């Protein structure tokens, strides 16, 4: 009789434990959904335009939570008139700054000062259809890929100055491949 009483006491406890586990799993799933819908996104790099910083197929954590673009940030944005998928580029100049490029020497100038760009693959020789100097209008940014001679960016009139409302977010981390896990800002 004692064994039956012990077993019947365990059964409700086992059910309660299973219920607790299910509740924990559902809570974790809801948290993850809310996190990835409202706070961060996982985005893939498509193409070679950001090499050597980011490579084709890299997966990045991106967020737009209380974000204002700054010079040097890597951002994801949509320009559906150019391409359906999101583009990843580096912010070179923000509203009110003037950008000019000396294509014969491969040097980018912002407000008359040559940029220190240790992250680029090679000097900027590909003009596309850029004619400078240009001042970035209010509410826009000028973006370029780190692989300057194999990047379609603000130098191309099809992209031009990027309206900040089109920015999906700032890239914070590379999460895949695991060998490249970490911050994109070195």
């Amino acid at each position: 009789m004692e064994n039956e009483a012990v077993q019947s006491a365990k059964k409700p406890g086992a059910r309660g434990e299973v219920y607790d586990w299910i509740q924990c799993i559902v809570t974790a799933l809801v948290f993850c959904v809310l996190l990835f819908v409202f706070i961060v996104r996982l985005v893939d790099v498509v193409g070679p335009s950001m090499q050597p910083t980011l490579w084709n197929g890299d997966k990045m954590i991106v967020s737009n939570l209380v974000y204002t673009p700054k010079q040097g940030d890597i951002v994801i944005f949509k320009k559906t008139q150019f391409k359906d998928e999101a583009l990843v580029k580096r912010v070179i100049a923000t509203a009110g700054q003037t950008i000019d490029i000396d294509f014969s020497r491969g040097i980018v100038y912002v407000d008359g000062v040559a940029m220190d760009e240790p992250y680029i693959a090679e000097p900027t020789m590909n003009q596309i259809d850029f004619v400078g100097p240009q001042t970035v209008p209010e509410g826009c940014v000028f973006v370029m890929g780190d692989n300057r001679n194999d990047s379609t960016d603000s130098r191309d009139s099809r992209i031009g100055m990027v309206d900040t409302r089109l920015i999906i977010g700032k890239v914070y981390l590379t999460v895949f491949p695991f060998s490249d896990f970490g911050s994109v800002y070195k």
Side-chain angles (χ1 to χ4, degrees), residues 44-51 53-59 176-177:
D44 292 350
V45 174
V46 178
S49 72
M50 284 300 292
Q51 292 174 359
T53 307
L54 298 168
W55 296 83
N56 187 42
D58 282 357
K59 293 191 183 314
F176 187 83

Side-chain angles (χ1 to χ4, degrees), residues 82-143:
F82 174 70
K83 207 175 206 180
D84 286 336
E85 60 259 357
L87 301 167
V88 56
K89 305 292 177 194
R90 188 178 297 271
V91 175
I92 302 301
T94 59
Q97 293 184 303
T98 300
I99 181 117
D100 202 6
I101 305 170
D102 180 347
F103 293 101
S104 63
R105 294 175 48 211
I107 300 172
V108 176
Y109 295 90
V110 175
D111 293 333
V113 177
M115 289 191 66
D116 177 26
E117 301 182 293
Y119 46 78
I120 64 173
E122 56 192 7
T124 309
M125 303 299 198
N126 189 357
Q127 185 171 355
I128 308 177
D129 60 4
F130 177 84
V131 177
Q134 293 182 16
T135 300
V136 180
E138 198 61 41
C140 293
V141 293
F142 187 94
V143 297

Side-chain angles (χ1 to χ4, degrees), residues 14-177:
R15 281 188 194 150
E17 190 174 319
V18 169
Y19 176 76
D20 287 346
W21 274 103
I22 290 172
Q23 188 177 17
C24 287
I25 291 169
V26 168
T27 302
L29 287 172
V30 168
F31 175 77
C32 286
V33 167
L34 292 174
L35 177 72
F36 283 99
V37 168
F38 295 109
I39 299 173
V40 298
R41 295 176 188 211
L42 194 61
V43 180
D44 292 350
V45 174
V46 178
S49 72
M50 284 300 292
Q51 292 174 359
T53 307
L54 298 168
W55 296 83
N56 187 42
D58 282 357
K59 293 191 183 314
M60 309 162 293
I61 294 287
V62 176
S63 180
N64 196 14
L65 192 63
V66 294
Y67 172 67
T68 302
K70 293 184 228 32
Q71 191 176 25
D73 287 351
I74 299 173
V75 296
I76 304 291
F77 63 96
K78 285 281 231 180
K79 197 77 170 198
T80 52
Q81 307 89 313
F82 174 70
K83 207 175 206 180
D84 286 336
E85 60 259 357
L87 301 167
V88 56
K89 305 292 177 194
R90 188 178 297 271
V91 175
I92 302 301
T94 59
Q97 293 184 303
T98 300
I99 181 117
D100 202 6
I101 305 170
D102 180 347
F103 293 101
S104 63
R105 294 175 48 211
I107 300 172
V108 176
Y109 295 90
V110 175
D111 293 333
V113 177
M115 289 191 66
D116 177 26
E117 301 182 293
Y119 46 78
I120 64 173
E122 56 192 7
T124 309
M125 303 299 198
N126 189 357
Q127 185 171 355
I128 308 177
D129 60 4
F130 177 84
V131 177
Q134 293 182 16
T135 300
V136 180
E138 198 61 41
C140 293
V141 293
F142 187 94
V143 297
M144 294 174 78
D146 290 356
N147 189 2
R148 295 290 166 76
N149 299 315
D150 194 12
S151 174
T152 305
D153 47 44
S154 289
R155 293 170 290 166
D156 188 316
S157 59
R158 296 175 296 170
I159 294 178
M161 303 291 177
V162 176
D163 189 319
T164 56
R165 294 173 294 186
L166 301 177
I167 294 176
I168 295 167
K170 175 183 175 181
V171 175
Y172 286 94
L173 292 171
T174 302
V175 294
F176 187 83

